[in-house]
Amino acid sequence: QVQLVESGGGLVQAWGPLRLSCAASGRTFSNYGMGWFRPAPGTLREFVAAISWSGGSTYYADSVKGRFTISRDNAKNTVSQQMNSLKPEDTAVYFCARRNTAIVGKKAEQYDYWGQGTQVTVSS
């Protein structure tokens, strides 16, 4: 059984930074792509960012491109998301998820394990 535990959420002022982390259990973490999602109007899981098994490929939603950076440390079974220049519209619960293959993906149905989420609140 795979468990994902997010941390790092909190309250931050607009244009400030915040770093989220996700710790994964299991010995096969490095075999799978990972992603971050958040709820949005009309969808429970809006794609934010994804990273391939090796970290060699990354993919971002247009709304966060240039502001967010996803990374991973396979030795520590962790994936992180550095969020800079945060905007009030970035306020959401952020979920870490494990893909069902090694490559990047932007659809929620491509991910088979999910964390409980961590709240990010950006004040204006």
Side-chain angles (χ1 to χ4, degrees), residues 38 46-50 59-66 68 106:
R38 65 188 182 188
E46 175 189 65
F47 171 74
V48 177
Y59 191 73
Y60 298 93
D62 288 342
S63 59
V64 306
K65 198 173 295 182
F68 290 13
K106 64 176 183 178

Side-chain angles (χ1 to χ4, degrees), residues 84-98:
N84 296 328
S85 302
L86 282 161
K87 305 175 182 180
E89 51 263 44
D90 293 318
T91 294
V93 177
Y94 284 75
F95 295 90
C96 169
R98 195 194 80 169

Side-chain angles (χ1 to χ4, degrees), residues 49-113:
I51 190 166
S52 64
W53 69 278
S54 66
S57 295
T58 56
Y59 191 73
Y60 298 93
D62 288 342
S63 59
V64 306
K65 198 173 295 182
R67 300 188 297 122
F68 290 13
T69 302
I70 188 172
S71 61
R72 66 189 296 161
D73 185 337
N74 286 341
K76 296 181 179 179
N77 279 18
T78 59
V79 61
S80 299
Q81 179 166 267
Q82 178 67 41
M83 305 185 297
N84 296 328
S85 302
L86 282 161
K87 305 175 182 180
E89 51 263 44
D90 293 318
T91 294
V93 177
Y94 284 75
F95 295 90
C96 169
R98 195 194 80 169
R99 253 223 78 171
N100 51 18
T101 68
I103 59 176
V104 297
K106 64 176 183 178
K107 298 180 180 179
E109 56 265 33
Q110 296 171 323
Y111 292 77
D112 51 8
Y113 289 97

Side-chain angles (χ1 to χ4, degrees), residues 8-68:
L11 174 65
V12 62
Q13 290 189 330
W15 305 111
L18 202 62
R19 186 176 181 86
L20 305 182
S21 293
C22 173
S25 64
R27 293 178 291 178
T28 59
F29 174 77
S30 61
N31 291 351
Y32 299 94
M34 298 293 294
W36 288 94
F37 289 78
R38 65 188 182 188
T43 179
L44 290 175
R45 297 286 188 266
E46 175 189 65
F47 171 74
V48 177
I51 190 166
S52 64
W53 69 278
S54 66
S57 295
T58 56
Y59 191 73
Y60 298 93
D62 288 342
S63 59
V64 306
K65 198 173 295 182
R67 300 188 297 122
F68 290 13

